[in-house]
Amino acid sequence: MSVAVAAHAEDYGQQVKKAKFLTIKDARPVAISSAESLRSVGNLEFRDGKYIDDCNHPVTPRSITLDVGKALPDVRAVFLEDSACYGAGGSSLTLLDGNDRVIWQDNAAGVAVLATVHDKVRDLAFGETGSAFAVWQWNDSGHVYELLENVELPN
């Protein structure tokens, strides 16, 4: 059994470097029959039997489950891929809790679950492109992830 502990700032760079980042390639397409479970994804609509992103382009949302700890079960990462809409990283990423509420949303190409914990939930790192990553911690009272720090890794 491993025990997660709080890290010092300099440790986040090492954690991010060692982390396995999950991307849209790791996720599975979300079936049309599951459209209701994505209703709170702010930049996604279900219209005329298709998923449409906020740039009015048809997309295929892809989803993967994240294990962030027992205190926050059933977290899903939902990727929308559209480089014309979401810039250099090419995708938007939304995290939903087990009740389909948004707990994080921004443009990101990948997410990694870190070993450190805040409010009994694992920290996350997000990357868009290059060597810059954002580390986010759980805020239980707000029921959201909040920015902890940015990490720049050497190339």
Side-chain angles (χ1 to χ4, degrees), residues 57-111:
H57 300 150
V59 292
T60 301
R62 297 178 67 90
S63 178
I64 189 168
T65 301
L66 302 178
D67 182 2
V68 297
K70 292 179 183 176
L72 187 62
D74 304 320
V75 171
R76 292 178 297 140
V78 178
F79 291 90
L80 303 178
E81 186 174 41
D82 183 350
S83 59
C85 194
Y86 303 119
S91 62
S92 172
L93 178 57
T94 301
L95 299 186
L96 300 174
D97 69 7
N99 293 315
D100 299 329
R101 292 178 293 187
V102 175
I103 57 175
W104 188 92
Q105 184 171 15
D106 205 343
N107 293 351
V111 57

Side-chain angles (χ1 to χ4, degrees), residues 16-49:
V16 169
K17 188 186 288 186
K18 293 177 186 177
K20 174 171 179 13
F21 275 82
L22 301 171
T23 68
I24 197 163
K25 293 176 185 174
D26 299 300
R28 294 192 170 153
V30 177
I32 296 295
S33 61
S34 298
E36 182 61 23
S37 71
L38 301 181
R39 72 187 176 286
S40 58
V41 177
N43 56 349
L44 182 68
E45 286 185 50
F46 188 70
R47 253 189 290 153
D48 301 324

